[in-house]
Amino acid sequence: MKAEEKKKLKDKIAEEIILVKKSIVSLEQTSKPVAPDDAIGRLTRMEALSSQGINEANLRASRSRLSMLEQALKRVDNDPEFGICVECEEAIPIGRLMLMPESQRCVHCADT
Ligand SMILES: [Zn+2]
């Protein structure tokens, strides 16, 4: 991978990390425990519980993406294998890495 591509990619990953961190903060605020039945109507409570479940799933996904992005950021400089598909050992196109810096497979291998 060229030095300028690495630089672009690192900027992109750093940007993504900031966005994911922001969304984690806002998800944490919306996935607080739901108030008991007598505090709000029963139907509202059902709705609150269901949106809480969605938020928790999003929160888990965001946290795991964050840790993958942080690893990717370290690997750009330190891992000579970064940007190489773990399946077929071909270089992953820079366009794909810019979209999904945490991906370790080329489009072809990710599909199969
Ligand atoms: Zn591949």
Side-chain angles (χ1 to χ4, degrees):
M1 196 184 293
K2 290 182 215 130
E4 61 191 87
E5 285 178 341
K6 273 191 184 179
K7 162 106 182 45
K8 251 207 244 166
L9 192 57
K10 280 195 292 181
D11 286 349
K12 173 72 179 169
I13 297 173
E15 220 174 84
E16 288 285 308
I17 286 175
I18 292 169
L19 290 177
V20 174
K21 276 184 177 166
K22 272 188 195 161
S23 88
I24 288 175
V25 169
S26 73
L27 284 168
E28 276 171 349
Q29 282 166 351
T30 48
S31 63
K32 295 220 171 86
V34 176
D37 270 346
D38 51 357
I40 47 176
R42 198 174 155 73
L43 194 63
T44 320
R45 179 172 154 78
M46 300 278 280
E47 282 166 5
L49 280 173
S50 120
S51 76
Q52 187 194 27
I54 294 165
N55 283 336
E56 278 173 1
N58 282 340
L59 196 53
R60 269 197 302 276
S62 299
R63 283 189 177 133
S64 81
R65 176 134 206 263
L66 178 62
S67 85
M68 286 194 289
L69 286 169
E70 283 173 338
Q71 278 171 30
L73 191 56
K74 281 183 209 148
R75 290 180 61 224
V76 175
D77 279 330
N78 301 319
D79 187 350
E81 304 273 284
F82 182 81
I84 307 291
C85 174
V86 293
E87 301 272 340
C88 67
E89 299 180 353
E90 296 287 327
I92 302 171
I94 184 73
R96 173 165 170 81
L97 288 172
M98 289 294 280
L99 284 174
M100 289 181 61
E102 72 275 31
S103 80
Q104 293 186 33
R105 287 175 176 79
C106 68
V107 182
H108 178 73
C109 296
D111 274 350
T112 53

mmCIF file of all heavy atoms in Angstrom, residues 85-110:
data_model
loop_
_atom_site.group_PDB
_atom_site.id
_atom_site.type_symbol
_atom_site.label_atom_id
_atom_site.label_comp_id
_atom_site.label_asym_id
_atom_site.label_seq_id
_atom_site.Cartn_x
_atom_site.Cartn_y
_atom_site.Cartn_z
ATOM 1 N N CYS A 85 -6.025 -9.660 1.925
ATOM 2 C CA CYS A 85 -7.155 -10.533 2.250
ATOM 3 C C CYS A 85 -6.663 -11.777 3.000
ATOM 4 O O CYS A 85 -5.714 -12.435 2.565
ATOM 5 C CB CYS A 85 -7.861 -10.931 0.960
ATOM 6 S SG CYS A 85 -9.157 -12.139 1.206
ATOM 7 N N VAL A 86 -7.313 -12.095 4.138
ATOM 8 C CA VAL A 86 -6.878 -13.245 4.934
ATOM 9 C C VAL A 86 -7.205 -14.576 4.260
ATOM 10 O O VAL A 86 -6.647 -15.608 4.623
ATOM 11 C CB VAL A 86 -7.480 -13.239 6.366
ATOM 12 C CG1 VAL A 86 -6.927 -12.072 7.176
ATOM 13 C CG2 VAL A 86 -8.993 -13.212 6.345
ATOM 14 N N GLU A 87 -8.122 -14.548 3.269
ATOM 15 C CA GLU A 87 -8.497 -15.786 2.585
ATOM 16 C C GLU A 87 -7.590 -16.060 1.381
ATOM 17 O O GLU A 87 -6.964 -17.090 1.282
ATOM 18 C CB GLU A 87 -9.942 -15.706 2.082
ATOM 19 C CG GLU A 87 -10.975 -15.477 3.174
ATOM 20 C CD GLU A 87 -11.477 -16.774 3.795
ATOM 21 O OE1 GLU A 87 -11.340 -17.830 3.163
ATOM 22 O OE2 GLU A 87 -12.016 -16.712 4.905
ATOM 23 N N CYS A 88 -7.563 -15.106 0.444
ATOM 24 C CA CYS A 88 -6.880 -15.372 -0.827
ATOM 25 C C CYS A 88 -5.523 -14.681 -0.908
ATOM 26 O O CYS A 88 -4.788 -14.864 -1.860
ATOM 27 C CB CYS A 88 -7.763 -14.952 -2.003
ATOM 28 S SG CYS A 88 -8.025 -13.167 -2.104
ATOM 29 N N GLU A 89 -5.196 -13.877 0.087
ATOM 30 C CA GLU A 89 -3.903 -13.187 0.164
ATOM 31 C C GLU A 89 -3.654 -12.206 -0.968
ATOM 32 O O GLU A 89 -2.521 -11.831 -1.245
ATOM 33 C CB GLU A 89 -2.754 -14.206 0.301
ATOM 34 C CG GLU A 89 -2.919 -15.030 1.570
ATOM 35 C CD GLU A 89 -1.807 -16.057 1.781
ATOM 36 O OE1 GLU A 89 -0.980 -16.210 0.874
ATOM 37 O OE2 GLU A 89 -1.788 -16.676 2.850
ATOM 38 N N GLU A 90 -4.741 -11.770 -1.613
ATOM 39 C CA GLU A 90 -4.637 -10.682 -2.582
ATOM 40 C C GLU A 90 -4.807 -9.355 -1.833
ATOM 41 O O GLU A 90 -5.408 -9.323 -0.765
ATOM 42 C CB GLU A 90 -5.761 -10.788 -3.627
ATOM 43 C CG GLU A 90 -5.700 -12.022 -4.501
ATOM 44 C CD GLU A 90 -4.574 -11.957 -5.541
ATOM 45 O OE1 GLU A 90 -4.279 -10.846 -6.016
ATOM 46 O OE2 GLU A 90 -4.011 -13.024 -5.856
ATOM 47 N N ALA A 91 -4.283 -8.277 -2.419
ATOM 48 C CA ALA A 91 -4.478 -6.961 -1.811
ATOM 49 C C ALA A 91 -5.952 -6.566 -1.879
ATOM 50 O O ALA A 91 -6.601 -6.751 -2.917
ATOM 51 C CB ALA A 91 -3.624 -5.926 -2.520
ATOM 52 N N ILE A 92 -6.485 -6.062 -0.780
ATOM 53 C CA ILE A 92 -7.864 -5.574 -0.765
ATOM 54 C C ILE A 92 -7.853 -4.177 -1.404
ATOM 55 O O ILE A 92 -7.040 -3.338 -1.013
ATOM 56 C CB ILE A 92 -8.412 -5.503 0.676
ATOM 57 C CG1 ILE A 92 -8.343 -6.885 1.340
ATOM 58 C CG2 ILE A 92 -9.846 -4.962 0.684
ATOM 59 C CD1 ILE A 92 -8.650 -6.874 2.838
ATOM 60 N N PRO A 93 -8.732 -3.911 -2.399
ATOM 61 C CA PRO A 93 -8.708 -2.595 -3.055
ATOM 62 C C PRO A 93 -8.901 -1.462 -2.046
ATOM 63 O O PRO A 93 -9.697 -1.591 -1.106
ATOM 64 C CB PRO A 93 -9.891 -2.659 -4.024
ATOM 65 C CG PRO A 93 -10.172 -4.109 -4.216
ATOM 66 C CD PRO A 93 -9.772 -4.789 -2.950
ATOM 67 N N ILE A 94 -8.172 -0.365 -2.269
ATOM 68 C CA ILE A 94 -8.215 0.772 -1.339
ATOM 69 C C ILE A 94 -9.634 1.319 -1.185
ATOM 70 O O ILE A 94 -10.034 1.732 -0.099
ATOM 71 C CB ILE A 94 -7.206 1.877 -1.764
ATOM 72 C CG1 ILE A 94 -7.160 3.037 -0.765
ATOM 73 C CG2 ILE A 94 -7.499 2.404 -3.170
ATOM 74 C CD1 ILE A 94 -6.458 2.717 0.530
ATOM 75 N N GLY A 95 -10.415 1.253 -2.270
ATOM 76 C CA GLY A 95 -11.790 1.741 -2.208
ATOM 77 C C GLY A 95 -12.617 0.992 -1.171
ATOM 78 O O GLY A 95 -13.412 1.576 -0.450
ATOM 79 N N ARG A 96 -12.402 -0.319 -1.097
ATOM 80 C CA ARG A 96 -13.117 -1.126 -0.114
ATOM 81 C C ARG A 96 -12.619 -0.815 1.294
ATOM 82 O O ARG A 96 -13.406 -0.706 2.233
ATOM 83 C CB ARG A 96 -12.917 -2.614 -0.423
ATOM 84 C CG ARG A 96 -13.479 -3.545 0.654
ATOM 85 C CD ARG A 96 -13.585 -4.961 0.147
ATOM 86 N NE ARG A 96 -13.902 -5.903 1.201
ATOM 87 C CZ ARG A 96 -15.118 -6.123 1.684
ATOM 88 N NH1 ARG A 96 -16.136 -5.448 1.209
ATOM 89 N NH2 ARG A 96 -15.324 -7.008 2.642
ATOM 90 N N LEU A 97 -11.309 -0.648 1.433
ATOM 91 C CA LEU A 97 -10.760 -0.329 2.749
ATOM 92 C C LEU A 97 -11.250 1.033 3.255
ATOM 93 O O LEU A 97 -11.473 1.214 4.445
ATOM 94 C CB LEU A 97 -9.228 -0.346 2.715
ATOM 95 C CG LEU A 97 -8.591 -1.736 2.605
ATOM 96 C CD1 LEU A 97 -7.093 -1.616 2.377
ATOM 97 C CD2 LEU A 97 -8.868 -2.571 3.851
ATOM 98 N N MET A 98 -11.438 1.961 2.308
ATOM 99 C CA MET A 98 -11.943 3.281 2.713
ATOM 100 C C MET A 98 -13.373 3.176 3.227
ATOM 101 O O MET A 98 -13.760 3.889 4.150
ATOM 102 C CB MET A 98 -11.904 4.268 1.536
ATOM 103 C CG MET A 98 -10.511 4.711 1.133
ATOM 104 S SD MET A 98 -9.655 5.691 2.400
ATOM 105 C CE MET A 98 -10.400 7.303 2.121
ATOM 106 N N LEU A 99 -14.162 2.279 2.618
ATOM 107 C CA LEU A 99 -15.550 2.110 3.050
ATOM 108 C C LEU A 99 -15.647 1.288 4.328
ATOM 109 O O LEU A 99 -16.443 1.564 5.211
ATOM 110 C CB LEU A 99 -16.387 1.421 1.958
ATOM 111 C CG LEU A 99 -16.794 2.274 0.769
ATOM 112 C CD1 LEU A 99 -17.485 1.425 -0.276
ATOM 113 C CD2 LEU A 99 -17.712 3.408 1.214
ATOM 114 N N MET A 100 -14.837 0.232 4.387
ATOM 115 C CA MET A 100 -14.868 -0.681 5.534
ATOM 116 C C MET A 100 -13.447 -0.990 5.987
ATOM 117 O O MET A 100 -12.917 -2.050 5.698
ATOM 118 C CB MET A 100 -15.551 -1.996 5.136
ATOM 119 C CG MET A 100 -17.038 -1.881 4.910
ATOM 120 S SD MET A 100 -17.720 -3.515 4.464
ATOM 121 C CE MET A 100 -17.302 -4.477 5.940
ATOM 122 N N PRO A 101 -12.821 -0.034 6.690
ATOM 123 C CA PRO A 101 -11.405 -0.191 7.061
ATOM 124 C C PRO A 101 -11.162 -1.432 7.914
ATOM 125 O O PRO A 101 -10.053 -1.950 7.965
ATOM 126 C CB PRO A 101 -11.104 1.069 7.872
ATOM 127 C CG PRO A 101 -12.242 2.001 7.658
ATOM 128 C CD PRO A 101 -13.423 1.180 7.258
ATOM 129 N N GLU A 102 -12.224 -1.911 8.589
ATOM 130 C CA GLU A 102 -12.040 -3.048 9.487
ATOM 131 C C GLU A 102 -12.105 -4.380 8.744
ATOM 132 O O GLU A 102 -11.884 -5.434 9.328
ATOM 133 C CB GLU A 102 -13.070 -3.007 10.625
ATOM 134 C CG GLU A 102 -14.509 -3.337 10.230
ATOM 135 C CD GLU A 102 -15.270 -2.132 9.691
ATOM 136 O OE1 GLU A 102 -14.663 -1.243 9.074
ATOM 137 O OE2 GLU A 102 -16.505 -2.107 9.877
ATOM 138 N N SER A 103 -12.395 -4.334 7.422
ATOM 139 C CA SER A 103 -12.571 -5.598 6.723
ATOM 140 C C SER A 103 -11.225 -6.279 6.475
ATOM 141 O O SER A 103 -10.222 -5.640 6.186
ATOM 142 C CB SER A 103 -13.328 -5.397 5.408
ATOM 143 O OG SER A 103 -12.451 -4.928 4.423
ATOM 144 N N GLN A 104 -11.218 -7.586 6.625
ATOM 145 C CA GLN A 104 -9.977 -8.341 6.463
ATOM 146 C C GLN A 104 -10.058 -9.269 5.263
ATOM 147 O O GLN A 104 -9.178 -10.089 5.048
ATOM 148 C CB GLN A 104 -9.692 -9.162 7.732
ATOM 149 C CG GLN A 104 -9.390 -8.265 8.917
ATOM 150 C CD GLN A 104 -8.972 -9.050 10.144
ATOM 151 O OE1 GLN A 104 -8.337 -10.087 10.046
ATOM 152 N NE2 GLN A 104 -9.345 -8.564 11.305
ATOM 153 N N ARG A 105 -11.166 -9.128 4.514
ATOM 154 C CA ARG A 105 -11.364 -9.949 3.327
ATOM 155 C C ARG A 105 -11.680 -9.070 2.132
ATOM 156 O O ARG A 105 -12.291 -8.027 2.282
ATOM 157 C CB ARG A 105 -12.514 -10.935 3.539
ATOM 158 C CG ARG A 105 -12.183 -12.070 4.454
ATOM 159 C CD ARG A 105 -13.394 -12.940 4.718
ATOM 160 N NE ARG A 105 -13.022 -14.081 5.541
ATOM 161 C CZ ARG A 105 -12.857 -14.037 6.844
ATOM 162 N NH1 ARG A 105 -13.051 -12.893 7.487
ATOM 163 N NH2 ARG A 105 -12.481 -15.097 7.513
ATOM 164 N N CYS A 106 -11.266 -9.512 0.936
ATOM 165 C CA CYS A 106 -11.651 -8.785 -0.269
ATOM 166 C C CYS A 106 -13.144 -9.042 -0.534
ATOM 167 O O CYS A 106 -13.740 -9.913 0.100
ATOM 168 C CB CYS A 106 -10.791 -9.228 -1.451
ATOM 169 S SG CYS A 106 -11.099 -10.927 -1.981
ATOM 170 N N VAL A 107 -13.720 -8.267 -1.455
ATOM 171 C CA VAL A 107 -15.157 -8.388 -1.723
ATOM 172 C C VAL A 107 -15.510 -9.828 -2.076
ATOM 173 O O VAL A 107 -16.498 -10.385 -1.598
ATOM 174 C CB VAL A 107 -15.582 -7.458 -2.886
ATOM 175 C CG1 VAL A 107 -17.077 -7.551 -3.139
ATOM 176 C CG2 VAL A 107 -15.196 -6.028 -2.596
ATOM 177 N N HIS A 108 -14.682 -10.434 -2.914
ATOM 178 C CA HIS A 108 -14.953 -11.796 -3.379
ATOM 179 C C HIS A 108 -15.024 -12.776 -2.206
ATOM 180 O O HIS A 108 -15.972 -13.548 -2.085
ATOM 181 C CB HIS A 108 -13.879 -12.220 -4.381
ATOM 182 C CG HIS A 108 -14.067 -13.629 -4.858
ATOM 183 N ND1 HIS A 108 -15.084 -13.980 -5.733
ATOM 184 C CD2 HIS A 108 -13.404 -14.771 -4.563
ATOM 185 C CE1 HIS A 108 -15.019 -15.280 -5.941
ATOM 186 N NE2 HIS A 108 -14.006 -15.770 -5.255
ATOM 187 N N CYS A 109 -14.044 -12.753 -1.331
ATOM 188 C CA CYS A 109 -14.000 -13.709 -0.221
ATOM 189 C C CYS A 109 -15.040 -13.388 0.849
ATOM 190 O O CYS A 109 -15.539 -14.287 1.521
ATOM 191 C CB CYS A 109 -12.617 -13.733 0.408
ATOM 192 S SG CYS A 109 -11.357 -14.326 -0.737
ATOM 193 N N ALA A 110 -15.381 -12.114 1.008
ATOM 194 C CA ALA A 110 -16.403 -11.739 1.991
ATOM 195 C C ALA A 110 -17.767 -12.263 1.565
ATOM 196 O O ALA A 110 -18.620 -12.559 2.398
ATOM 197 C CB ALA A 110 -16.439 -10.227 2.159
#
